Amino acid sequence: MSEKAQLAKDAIKRRQGGGKSPSKTTENGGQSGLNFYSGDVSSLKVQPNTVLIISLVYLGIVVLLHIFSKLRSGGSEAPPEGQ
């Protein structure tokens, strides 16, 4: 087989994902850096979008509690005059 034919076959393999790409493989067993969790870990598996939503809900609850505490106290936190 000629050298050009072999290069063409290698190029087709790379396009189809058959060859190893140096940008996708790392030294840790060929896993990509985009893997958030692996199958052998027995911890809680939570996706990043879920963490974002939970943190925004928590932030909203804290803001609402601050607003309610201001309304309940009358809005003034300064000590009364004469003390």
Side-chain angles (χ1 to χ4, degrees):
M1 192 178 330
S2 72
E3 188 176 335
K4 284 186 177 181
Q6 184 63 34
L7 289 174
K9 281 187 176 184
D10 289 342
I12 291 172
K13 272 186 187 179
R14 280 193 300 267
R15 272 189 246 144
Q16 293 174 348
K20 289 186 179 179
S21 173
S23 63
K24 291 184 180 179
T25 58
T26 59
E27 294 178 5
N28 59 358
Q31 293 180 349
S32 171
L34 297 176
N35 290 338
F36 293 108
Y37 45 80
S38 61
D40 58 350
V41 178
S42 63
S43 63
L44 182 65
K45 297 176 183 173
V46 182
Q47 293 183 349
N49 289 341
T50 307
V51 174
L52 178 67
I53 291 170
I54 290 172
S55 63
L56 289 176
V57 168
Y58 175 75
L59 195 87
I61 290 172
V62 170
V63 168
L64 286 175
L65 288 173
H66 278 286
I67 292 171
F68 289 148
S69 68
K70 283 282 190 184
L71 292 175
R72 189 170 184 191
S73 67
S76 65
E77 293 186 8
E81 295 288 327
Q83 285 188 355

